[in-house]
Each structure stands twice: as structure tokens, then as C-alpha cells.
Amino acid sequence: MLTLVEFIRNMLQCWFHYRHRATQSMRHQLTDAAHLVMLKRVEKCGYMTVNPVVWNIFSVKRSGKQWDVDLARKTCTCNKFQMDHFLCSHALAVARYIKSSQSYTILTKRECHCFHCSYRERNLDFTSLCADYYNRHTLIDAYSVSIMLVGHPSSWVVQSDSVVPVVLNLKTKRQSGRRMVGRHASSSERTTTQSCRRYGQLGHNSRRCSNPPLINESPSGIVPEEYRRKCSIYHQVGHNKQTCLDKDSTMD
């Protein structure tokens, strides 16, 4: 058990160290995975037409289809914006439309703030419209905790009351009667009847058969022909090639 716990601790220690260094090397404000998704959705924005409806609602059209984007509520009729809490391609098209005016005022129920839309290396900086768990700093904080070494067991400070722990038995009582060998079949499971390979009787197999063992010279009506031993040299029933008495004469 101690070896297993030490292996898990060492594995988590390596994970936290290397992933913390990987997140610090990210060059964008979003994570690398979110940045790639953003680039793929930016490519679709060039084929969309944006028309403002009110101060926070925009209509996006493409190939005869229409979507309504609400930046104040962070919703879109495609349902990707509110489900993923990440900008969909229609919201990015609205962002490109806002970029042309340099700034746009978004009014919410509690506050009124002005956010600026910038276009850097085909990546729109709209982290305020995305959830915090797509931010690079959130990922850095997740792996910022270090898993320290526990040291050798000889250096541990163990309390006196836990040096020799007393493990009591479970307060259970074994039920009377013979234990069940099989198991209870479910309602959807088909029950199969076992058959003895030697005698052909139902209810048990050859391993659990309580009948006396058969002799190989017994009639073939009791023991099936395919289950009886046969010599591969003379094809006689009752012995095999290793116990064949005429094997030496055949070799000569």
C-alpha cells in the first residue's frame, strides 16, 4: 500500500511540474487549445454579414441562415455561446463588426462598461466574453501548487498513540447454512442447463460429476465415441499413442 501511494504521489508531482512549465510558456492570453479553436472559428467570420438590431443584439447571416447574438447576455441562437461559455463563430463575426468602430458600449443590468476589440495575429482578444477556465492564468493557478516530498520513513514524526494501531475485527456474523456456490441470475439473463460430458446427464458437468469414473472399454453407448481415447497409430479405442503397446513394433 505504501508503494502504491508513493507511486501516485510521484506521478502527480511530475504532472504538476511539467504542466506548470508548459502553461507558463504559452504566448497567448487563452490556452493553446482554446487559441486553436478560436483561429478555426475566425476563418468562418469572413463569409458572414452582421446587422445591428439594438445596442446589444446583432443579426448574423450566412447562406440564407440567420443567427441572433446577444453580447450582454452572452447568448446565440446556435446555443454554442451559452453552452460552452466560449465565443462561437457568429459572436466572432459580431466582434469583427465592432472592431471597425474601435469601441462599443455594452449595457448590462448592473453595470455599463466599454470594451475594446483588437485584432492581433488573426486572434480576437475577447477574454472578457469567455469563461475564466479558458484563460491561461487560470490554468497556471491550477498547477501552481507544488506536491512536496514526504521524505524517508525514518525521518517521519509519528505520534505515540499511532505507532502500534489496533485493528479490530468487523462486527459481522456469518450466516448459518451452506454458502451459495453459484450466483443469482438477473431477470434479463438466460439460464443455461449444464450437461455432463461423460454420462450426458443434466444439472452438472464432468468436473462436478459424482458418478463413478467410466472405464475406456465400456460400451460406446454410455461414453460418446468422440470423447473416448483413441490411438493415433492404430485408431483403437482405450489408449493413446503414448500408451500404445504396439508402438515399438511399428517403429521397427
Side-chain angles (χ1 to χ4, degrees), residues 3 65 76 81 88 114 117 164 247:
T3 305
K65 297 182 180 180
C76 180
F81 197 3
C88 60
C114 180
C117 305
V164 184
K247 179 175 63 174

Side-chain angles (χ1 to χ4, degrees), residues 59-182:
S59 175
V60 182
K61 296 181 180 180
R62 179 187 177 186
S63 303
K65 297 182 180 180
Q66 181 177 348
W67 300 271
D68 298 333
V69 179
D70 189 347
L71 293 182
R73 298 181 179 180
K74 299 180 181 181
T75 59
C76 180
T77 52
C78 68
N79 296 326
K80 291 183 179 180
F81 197 3
Q82 55 268 30
M83 290 182 64
D84 298 338
H85 298 280
F86 190 76
L87 288 173
C88 60
S89 58
H90 315 110
L92 285 173
V94 174
R96 295 188 63 180
Y97 175 80
I98 297 175
K99 173 184 174 295
S100 60
S101 61
Q102 299 299 325
S103 65
Y104 191 81
T105 303
I106 298 180
L107 299 178
T108 60
K109 294 182 180 179
R110 296 184 178 180
E111 61 181 354
C112 173
H113 66 278
C114 180
F115 76 100
H116 299 273
C117 305
S118 60
Y119 190 69
R120 303 173 182 175
E121 299 180 359
R122 302 182 64 190
N123 180 27
L124 297 174
D125 187 10
F126 292 122
T127 57
S128 60
L129 297 177
C130 300
D132 293 336
Y133 44 78
Y134 292 109
N135 199 319
R136 179 176 64 94
H137 298 285
T138 304
L139 192 60
I140 292 176
D141 295 338
Y143 293 105
S144 60
V145 180
S146 301
I147 300 178
M148 303 304 297
L149 300 174
V150 296
H152 194 267
S154 59
S155 61
W156 295 353
V157 178
V158 184
Q159 299 180 0
S160 59
D161 56 348
S162 60
V163 175
V164 184
V166 179
V167 181
L168 302 178
N169 296 328
L170 298 176
K171 295 181 179 180
T172 57
K173 183 179 180 181
R174 182 179 177 275
Q175 297 180 358
S176 61
R178 185 179 180 183
R179 294 183 180 181
M180 185 178 62
V181 179

